[in-house]
Every structure is written in structure tokens, then in C-alpha cells.
Amino acid sequence: MRVTRSLAIGLTLVIAASGCTTSEPSLKEAAAELQKDTRLLETDDLFKNPLMKLRILQYPDKDIPCGEDGFKRVLRATADEERSKEENLDTHLDAAERVMENTLSKSLGYKLEHDTTQLDAPEGRFIKGSKEAGVSVDVYVSPEAPTWRLHAQTACLSK
């Protein structure tokens, strides 16, 4: 009886304690992660080359209202890699997709979703990724300039 009561009390305490913790990051943590990603992108060996024409269209330095009492940060960027006249479109898109997947996963630490339905799609490719820090990224690999159109944002979080 005493053991059963102790187990019941212990289980209740564990359930109560797990309800008090949150696995959701704070806006401050997620924003810091997105700002770090921006710096890493700007200093990446490939993308800091002026020929890549990296443009940060929106820096993640402003809180944007979302949901009820929530805020998010957004990074928007483009970059371009000109296609040579000899290179066919599929080869160009495949190479551009691999470059961005490597940058996102290896340099920036995103976990990527793999979508095999878009293999060899001539209209472009989409790359999706996320981080446990509450940041997600979507990249459109385009057949026309600019080659990459990146949109990363934090989740809608309270301050």
C-alpha cells in the first residue's frame, strides 16, 4: 500500500513537473539563431563572392506581430549563380539545389526535408528545413535569376 501510494505521488509529481517545462524556445533564442544564420550566410566562402550577388532583402532585426500576443523574425535573401550557355537547365538546377542543401545542412545546421517528387522538375525546386531553435527555412531554386530565393523565419513566439 505504501509503495503504491509513493508511486502514485511520484507519478503525479513527474506529470506536474513536465507540464511546467516548455520545449518551445523563446523569441530571443530563436531570433539570435536566425541572426547567426544571417551572419554565417554573409560570410560563407561561396556566397561572399560578389559573383553570387547575395542580397539580404530583410534582416531578422525587427519583431513582427503574429498570432495572439506572438512575434516572429524574418530573413529574406536572394543569390544568383549564372548558368553557362553550355549547361542544360536540369544540370544547373540540380547543382544549385545541392549547393543550397549543403549550405543549409552543413554550414547553418538545418535538418532538411527530402522531397523526391520534384526530381528533375524544370520549373524549379523547393527546399524546406528547420531547427529545434524554432527556425524554419524555405528556399526556391529557380530556373531564372536569382537562382536562390530564401525565406527563413522564427516560429510565432511570445517575448
Side-chain angles (χ1 to χ4, degrees), residues 20-44:
C20 294
T21 61
T22 177
S23 62
E24 189 173 89
S26 70
L27 178 63
K28 183 178 180 179
E29 293 166 334
E33 186 70 22
L34 190 54
Q35 288 169 338
K36 180 184 83 171
D37 291 348
T38 306
R39 286 189 305 278
L40 289 172
L41 188 62
E42 289 178 311
T43 58
D44 181 90

Side-chain angles (χ1 to χ4, degrees), residues 1 7 9 20 22 29 31 50 70 74 81-82 92 98-101 103 109 111 138 152:
M1 182 85 157
L7 285 173
I9 291 171
C20 294
T22 177
E29 293 166 334
V74 175
E81 182 174 42
E82 248 182 72
H92 176 71
R98 278 191 305 277
V99 163
M100 186 53 70
E101 286 175 341
T103 300
K111 182 179 178 185
D138 294 298

Side-chain angles (χ1 to χ4, degrees), residues 13-83:
L13 289 173
V14 167
I15 291 171
S18 66
C20 294
T21 61
T22 177
S23 62
E24 189 173 89
S26 70
L27 178 63
K28 183 178 180 179
E29 293 166 334
E33 186 70 22
L34 190 54
Q35 288 169 338
K36 180 184 83 171
D37 291 348
T38 306
R39 286 189 305 278
L40 289 172
L41 188 62
E42 289 178 311
T43 58
D44 181 90
D45 286 339
L46 181 66
F47 289 102
K48 71 179 178 184
N49 181 336
L51 295 175
M52 287 300 198
K53 302 174 193 162
L54 175 66
R55 290 184 51 218
I56 305 296
L57 305 173
Q58 182 175 358
Y59 281 90
D61 55 1
K62 293 186 178 98
D63 294 339
I64 300 169
C66 59
E68 280 190 41
D69 302 323
F71 296 90
K72 66 181 177 180
R73 296 279 183 101
V74 175
L75 163 65
R76 290 185 322 113
T78 62
D80 191 41
E81 182 174 42
E82 248 182 72
R83 185 174 105 192

Side-chain angles (χ1 to χ4, degrees), residues 82-137:
E82 248 182 72
R83 185 174 105 192
S84 69
K85 293 180 192 222
E86 303 84 40
E87 186 179 38
N88 74 40
L89 179 61
D90 185 52
T91 302
H92 176 71
L93 288 172
D94 286 346
E97 182 178 14
R98 278 191 305 277
V99 163
M100 186 53 70
E101 286 175 341
N102 285 335
T103 300
L104 291 173
S105 64
K106 293 182 176 142
S107 300
L108 303 179
Y110 283 88
K111 182 179 178 185
L112 302 180
E113 299 172 21
H114 295 284
D115 181 4
T116 56
T117 63
Q118 61 180 347
L119 290 176
D120 300 327
E123 62 275 1
R125 318 287 164 77
F126 293 93
I127 302 169
K128 291 184 168 294
S130 61
K131 289 184 170 187
E132 286 185 18
V135 180
S136 63
V137 65

